[in-house]
Amino acid sequence: MIQMVTQTDGTLTLTWSAMPWQTYQVQYTTDLSQTNWNILGNAITTTNALATASDSIGPDTRRFYRVVVLP
């Protein structure tokens, strides 16, 4: 579950609840009617109960994010 979203100096930071040693992938899309999502950065393996990822805010007028658990 995404816990917090913050924006500072053109960078969006997502913080979500995580399971230690689980690997996550953050993905985004600009259109929820599309079935393909874009991968944001590298996969993240956590070591505690929270994880974060950052995204530079670009020219998109909106972006939707999701966090996927990888096998």
Side-chain angles (χ1 to χ4, degrees):
M1 175 190 300
I2 294 177
Q3 298 291 324
M4 184 174 19
V5 178
T6 58
Q7 179 183 342
T8 305
D9 297 328
T11 299
L12 183 88
T13 302
L14 302 168
T15 303
W16 66 92
S17 301
M19 294 293 296
W21 306 112
Q22 182 65 56
T23 302
Y24 298 89
Q25 180 68 66
V26 179
Q27 301 175 348
Y28 70 91
T29 186
T30 58
D31 184 351
L32 290 175
S33 66
Q34 298 292 324
T35 57
N36 294 328
W37 288 67
N38 301 296
I39 293 173
L40 178 66
N42 295 323
I44 299 166
T45 301
T46 60
T47 58
N48 56 46
L50 289 175
T52 62
S54 296
D55 185 20
S56 295
I57 298 171
D60 297 329
T61 56
R62 64 182 177 185
R63 276 193 178 182
F64 302 95
Y65 295 88
R66 69 181 181 185
V67 178
V68 178
V69 178
L70 298 179

